[in-house]
Amino acid sequence: VYMIYDTIDHAGLYRPISANLAKALDFLTSTDLSKYDTERVEIDGDKVYALFQRYETKPVNDSPEAHKKYIDLQYLIDGEEFIGVAPLSTMKKEVEARPDGDIYFYEGETVKLPIGGGRFMVLFPEDAHAPCIAAGGSKPVHKVVIKIAVE
């Protein structure tokens, strides 16, 4: 399975992919996300959990990342940004590995897609991604990243 890029009103279409993804999508579509600030919320223990973040977008992110144990569902509660995406197989080389945090950094080109305005992205272990890129000038965003254990 490769990246999903869609709007929240179509989220239910992707529930059949996996039980853990279904739990994440149910949380995304049935929760008042604005009531969370910067915290971890367990949906199903370490299998499915949400990380709420606030940060300023940055002009460039030239360190695409990927994860081996978790799928990322990324959704902006407030604000907008670009996320650079590319198949992991197109990355030139791994530049840093942090297996304890399930994050691996790469060198390679990505294509920037806008997120915000009701759009969400599901990034699988085969998807390199470079989040937090400013959409016209650095601005604050409020984001949830739902970590979904690969089944």
Side-chain angles (χ1 to χ4, degrees):
V1 179
Y2 291 96
M3 184 186 90
I4 296 167
Y5 178 64
D6 207 338
T7 56
I8 196 164
D9 50 322
H10 297 144
L13 297 173
Y14 306 100
R15 292 182 83 257
I17 293 172
S18 83
N20 285 344
L21 179 58
K23 290 173 194 168
L25 292 166
D26 291 347
F27 179 84
L28 181 70
T29 56
S30 67
T31 305
D32 177 3
L33 302 172
S34 66
K35 72 180 184 179
Y36 298 101
D37 192 46
T38 53
E39 60 208 276
R40 174 180 164 144
V41 176
E42 293 197 0
I43 299 164
D44 185 7
D46 282 338
K47 283 198 227 164
V48 185
Y49 60 92
L51 300 172
F52 288 85
Q53 307 168 343
R54 286 186 183 272
Y55 56 84
E56 291 268 332
T57 56
K58 52 193 180 187
V60 179
N61 180 350
D62 53 11
S63 297
E65 64 188 62
H67 315 288
K68 295 181 180 178
K69 296 178 184 163
Y70 284 90
I71 297 161
D72 271 10
L73 189 161
Q74 301 206 11
Y75 179 78
L76 286 184
I77 300 158
D78 191 39
E80 74 175 324
E81 70 179 47
F82 285 105
I83 298 180
V85 294
L88 185 59
S89 60
T90 66
M91 293 293 106
K92 291 180 188 151
K93 66 178 181 180
E94 184 178 281
V95 292
E96 186 183 350
R98 297 185 201 158
D100 290 352
D102 188 40
I103 190 163
Y104 301 82
F105 293 96
Y106 297 88
E107 181 183 298
E109 296 295 314
T110 62
V111 173
K112 291 190 290 189
L113 294 175
I115 189 169
R119 291 180 293 266
F120 72 96
M121 202 176 276
V122 179
L123 299 146
F124 294 89
E126 299 84 6
D127 301 314
H129 51 287
C132 315
I133 302 169
S138 293
K139 294 187 183 84
V141 298
H142 185 198
K143 179 193 250 183
V144 61
V145 177
I146 305 177
K147 304 297 280 185
I148 304 157
V150 174
E151 290 181 76

